[in-house]
Amino acid sequence: MDNNSQGSGGIKAGLGGLFGGGAPEYSNTELAGVPLTGMSPLSPYLNVDPRYLVQDTDEFILPTGANKTRGRFELAFFTIGGSCMTGATLGALNGLRMGLKETRDMVWSKPRNVQILNMVTRQGASWANSLGSVALLYSAFGVVIEKARGAEDDINTVAAGTLTGMLFKSAGGLKGVARGGLVGLALSGAYALYNNWDHLAGSSKPSRLY
């Protein structure tokens, strides 16, 4: 019997050394106080201390020196693509409205359908081009200003929006530049105000004396 028990113990030790590497075993008393909140029950065949698997906070794997938030260069691709898709959708809807309005005196036929389709595609492409150009200018100005100042704040947003409006309307002369700059300043300022509304609302609350 002793030889058999020793043999079985040797086999278990050999398998443990092969698969587990002599990992420590934990009794039920030691595992009773380990919190397993948000975790599925662990298999009793895993030689893993569950205390190493408990995480109180979210952890992310980031390159050395990288920020936890995406910069303007990373957001530029999403901004440009989203603007083009939004412009194409709005332009298509506007083209459909215009096509139905211009062909309301025509009967439903192939020429009318072709005319409506041409209006939809023309307006969709025009709006997508316009909004995509605005997004491209805004992203480019934002990245350049961020690199030049070495900081990322709302000043970059307002400056990029103002310069985008000025350059986009530069073909209209000085009045167009001024008008475009004011529109860009207003839109970017409203966007910056919206992003900081919680902070401004929290700081404006009067303090109570107890």
Side-chain angles (χ1 to χ4, degrees):
M1 293 296 292
D2 295 340
N3 294 333
N4 294 335
S5 62
Q6 291 178 357
S8 62
I11 294 175
K12 292 180 179 180
L15 293 176
L18 180 60
F19 297 100
E25 297 181 356
Y26 301 94
S27 62
N28 295 332
T29 304
E30 294 176 343
L31 297 179
V34 178
L36 297 178
T37 304
M39 298 173 56
S40 59
L42 295 176
S43 173
Y45 301 102
L46 296 177
N47 293 325
V48 179
D49 187 354
R51 286 173 290 189
Y52 293 115
L53 302 179
V54 178
Q55 298 180 356
D56 297 333
T57 58
D58 296 333
E59 295 183 1
F60 302 94
I61 300 177
L62 298 172
T64 304
N67 297 326
K68 290 186 177 181
T69 57
R70 293 182 294 177
R72 288 185 177 270
F73 184 76
E74 290 81 4
L75 292 175
F77 300 97
F78 170 77
T79 303
I80 297 172
S83 299
C84 290
M85 295 179 63
T86 302
T89 302
L90 296 178
L93 294 176
N94 185 50
L96 179 62
R97 180 189 63 83
M98 295 176 61
L100 292 175
K101 182 178 179 180
E102 292 182 1
T103 60
R104 58 187 175 184
D105 296 334
M106 299 174 59
V107 296
W108 283 104
S109 58
K110 185 175 181 180
R112 183 182 184 185
N113 296 334
V114 171
Q115 187 172 352
I116 294 175
L117 184 60
N118 291 337
M119 187 66 67
V120 168
T121 54
R122 189 182 302 113
Q123 290 295 317
S126 177
W127 282 53
N129 185 24
S130 299
L131 289 184
S133 300
V134 171
L136 177 61
L137 293 175
Y138 172 78
S139 300
F141 280 127
V143 171
V144 171
I145 295 174
E146 178 186 3
K147 297 300 181 181
R149 296 183 64 243
E152 172 56 31
D153 49 22
D154 294 327
I155 297 179
N156 299 344
T157 301
V158 175
T162 304
L163 292 176
T164 299
M166 295 174 62
L167 184 59
F168 187 74
K169 290 295 184 179
S170 59
L174 295 179
K175 291 184 178 180
V177 171
R179 190 180 298 109
L182 290 177
V183 173
L185 177 62
L187 293 177
S188 58
Y191 178 73
L193 182 63
Y194 172 77
N195 285 337
N196 295 275
W197 181 255
D198 294 336
H199 176 70
L200 296 176
S203 62
S204 62
K205 292 181 179 179
S207 60
R208 298 176 59 182
L209 298 177
Y210 294 94

